[in-house]
């Protein structure tokens, strides 16, 4: 018995522009575009570059919130959205 074929779906949904006369749709479109560009929803809570957490960064003495009081304060401010 042959398996029924399914129509193929694209992995990415088609992006649609918000209608010009719908301010709510525009706001949602803006939030989605911002999250897409940023890579996540919400506020980045740790402004420390990822490279600082690598072996090379640690051995070079790059500051992280766990090792540097100024970096910790910057992370606290970022977590509060300041």
């Amino acid at each position: 018995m042959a398996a029924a074929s399914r129509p193929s779906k694209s992995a990415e949904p088609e992006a649609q522009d918000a209608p010009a006369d719908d301010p709510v749709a525009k706001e949602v479109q803006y939030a989605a575009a911002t999250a897409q560009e940023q890579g996540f929803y919400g506020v980045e809570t740790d402004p420390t570059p990822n490279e600082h957490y690598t072996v090379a960064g640690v051995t070079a003495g790059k500051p992280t919130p766990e090792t540097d009081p100024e970096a910790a304060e910057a992370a606290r401010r970022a977590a509060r959205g300041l």
Side-chain angles (χ1 to χ4, degrees):
M1 183 175 207
S5 64
R6 294 185 214 171
S8 62
K9 293 187 208 176
S10 66
E12 294 289 322
E14 287 185 28
Q16 297 178 355
D17 290 331
D21 60 345
D22 189 349
V24 174
K26 279 187 166 191
E27 189 173 328
V28 171
Q29 181 69 33
Y30 176 77
T34 301
Q36 180 69 29
E37 186 174 316
Q38 182 173 300
F40 57 89
Y41 286 102
V43 177
E44 185 171 17
T45 58
D46 184 0
T48 307
N50 290 338
E51 297 79 36
H52 290 207
Y53 292 106
T54 64
V55 172
V58 171
T59 57
K62 304 250 177 161
T64 65
E66 296 80 12
T67 61
D68 183 64
E70 290 179 22
E73 181 57 32
R76 279 192 289 276
R77 283 192 310 272
R80 289 187 214 120
L82 303 175

